[in-house]
Amino acid sequence: MPKVRKIPQRMCVGCQEMKPKKEMIRVVKTPENSIEIDPTGKRAGRGAYVCPSLECLQKAIKARRLEKALHHSVSPEIIDVLKQGLVK
């Protein structure tokens, strides 16, 4: 009997839906207090997950869920970088 591997699930801070971790984008607050996109999903620091859609990112920003999840304020410059990271 083959072993069934569990797919790690994460909740999007925008739409609040559980989705597979691999489909989502991790935003991380590093120990140096900078906020960046973590393409590997392995960087040290506090992470929050967002669906790869601009709509979810905007919901997360509007409801301040990204700030709450990261325990840090998110500046407009960082929001612009995140938007560019999503539009690739």
Side-chain angles (χ1 to χ4, degrees):
M1 195 161 115
K3 190 172 181 181
V4 179
R5 294 192 55 88
K6 219 170 93 183
I7 299 166
Q9 300 274 311
R10 295 293 180 268
M11 185 184 281
C12 172
V13 290
C15 64
Q16 305 276 290
E17 284 180 32
M18 295 295 282
K19 297 189 179 172
K21 184 179 168 183
K22 293 250 184 259
E23 292 176 11
M24 305 188 62
I25 293 166
R26 183 170 187 250
V27 181
V28 67
K29 181 184 90 169
T30 62
E32 298 82 45
N33 280 336
S34 66
I35 294 176
E36 299 160 20
I37 291 177
D38 178 11
T40 63
K42 290 179 170 56
R43 300 234 4 223
R46 181 150 188 96
Y49 290 84
V50 184
C51 297
S53 76
L54 201 56
E55 191 181 321
C56 279
L57 180 64
Q58 285 171 332
K59 279 184 193 173
I61 293 162
K62 188 177 179 200
R64 301 186 75 121
R65 286 194 211 111
L66 196 57
E67 293 182 3
K68 286 175 189 157
L70 296 173
H71 298 260
H72 194 272
S73 61
V74 181
S75 71
E77 296 84 45
I78 293 167
I79 291 168
D80 289 341
V81 170
L82 292 174
K83 284 180 182 172
Q84 257 107 51
L86 288 177
V87 180
K88 282 179 191 172

